């Protein structure tokens, strides 16, 4: 088998096993998120590096649905202001960048969704801890063994792999499935 096909097969098999293990929990998470958004809550996303790009992706999917019959919801990726991020990092501590933003703008009805391939990102985990203090719903996408992220999440989805690529591939599928199931939970047609 070629390396290309081997990697594609590894990814597909990992994603399949992950969803078989987490199907029920993903459904419960979609319902909890739907409840928050239906009551006027907002979604705040965060991550580092490639996971930061995935956090942007989540926010875009919620704010600008690709299907015209699906509702949009307020979703914002944290850390997008270079000035604010560097000010917090310079004047205090880089590990506080997301927590400080949430402390200023988040409400109990909101949701925090954090992505970390290791589950050990200090800035992500501090933000999840702050989100818990506020009373927000907390959702984590992690990899490896989940790191300390799982302690701070109402719903923690851990992809059991040490390959950053395989973890991120599963996270992208998860964000699409969660988005879709949220809309199904709200009574919309299951069109995907």
């Amino acid at each position: 088998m070629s390396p290309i096909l081997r990697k594609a097969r590894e990814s597909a098999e990992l994603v399949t096993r992950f969803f078989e293990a987490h199907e029920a929990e993903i459904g419960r998470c979609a319902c909890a998120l739907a409840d928050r958004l239906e009551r006027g809550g907002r979604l705040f996303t965060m991550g580092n590096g490639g996971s930061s790009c995935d956090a942007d992706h989540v926010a875009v999917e919620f704010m600008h649905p690709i299907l015209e019959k699906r509702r949009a919801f307020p979703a914002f990726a944290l850390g997008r202001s270079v000035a604010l991020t560097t000010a917090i990092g310079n004047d205090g501590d880089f590990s506080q960048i997301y927590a400080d933003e949430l402390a200023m703008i988040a409400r109990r009805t909101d949701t925090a969704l954090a992505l970390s391939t290791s589950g050990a990102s200090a800035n992500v985990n501090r933000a999840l801890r702050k989100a818990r203090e506020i009373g927000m719903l907390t959702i984590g996408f992690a990899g490896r063994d989940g790191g300390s992220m799982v302690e701070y999440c109402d719903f923690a989805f851990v992809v059991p792999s040490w390959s950053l690529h395989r973890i991120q591939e599963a996270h992208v599928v998860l964000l699409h499935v969660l988005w879709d199931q949220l809309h199904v939970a709200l009574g919309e047609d299951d069109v995907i």
Side-chain angles (χ1 to χ4, degrees):
M1 177 184 310
S2 75
I4 293 169
L5 290 177
R6 178 181 53 78
K7 290 176 183 184
R9 184 166 288 152
E10 285 173 5
S11 182
E13 289 172 356
L14 177 66
V15 167
T16 300
R17 285 193 312 271
F18 172 81
F19 281 93
E20 287 171 350
H22 295 282
E23 178 183 12
E25 187 179 12
I26 293 167
R28 288 190 298 273
C29 181
C31 289
L33 180 56
D35 180 61
R36 294 282 176 133
L37 294 171
E38 190 78 336
R39 291 187 290 133
R42 301 163 296 169
L43 176 64
F44 292 99
T45 65
M46 68 202 88
N48 294 299
S51 294
S52 178
C53 296
D54 291 337
D56 273 344
H57 185 173
V58 173
V60 169
E61 293 282 345
F62 278 79
M63 289 281 283
H64 184 72
I66 57 171
L67 298 174
E68 61 188 51
K69 292 184 178 183
R70 294 280 172 98
R71 289 192 286 174
F73 293 99
F76 309 94
L78 299 176
R80 295 306 166 256
S81 167
V82 173
L84 179 60
T85 299
T86 56
I88 293 169
N90 183 62
D91 296 340
D93 182 349
F94 181 76
S95 67
Q96 286 295 125
I97 60 170
Y98 300 136
D100 286 2
E101 277 192 82
L102 285 178
M104 292 300 299
I105 60 177
R107 301 182 298 248
R108 291 185 59 79
T109 54
D110 295 332
T111 300
L113 191 157
L115 299 98
S116 170
T117 55
S118 68
S121 301
N123 57 0
V124 166
N125 289 335
R126 284 188 180 193
L128 287 168
R129 214 170 27 232
K130 176 57 71 179
R132 275 261 172 102
E133 290 172 16
I134 294 168
M136 299 170 71
L137 177 68
T138 53
I139 303 169
F141 291 10
R144 300 181 181 175
D145 62 2
S148 57
M149 174 189 274
V150 297
E151 297 173 40
Y152 311 116
C153 293
D154 297 307
F155 295 97
F157 299 103
V158 180
V159 178
S161 174
W162 289 86
S163 167
L164 298 181
H165 294 115
R166 301 297 89 81
I167 294 165
Q168 289 178 325
E169 290 157 5
H171 285 176
V172 170
V173 177
L174 177 58
L175 79 87
H176 286 144
V177 169
L178 184 61
W179 175 85
D180 178 60
Q181 290 305 297
L182 155 81
H183 288 277
V184 171
L186 292 170
E188 297 176 22
D189 293 334
D190 189 0
V191 295
I192 296 180

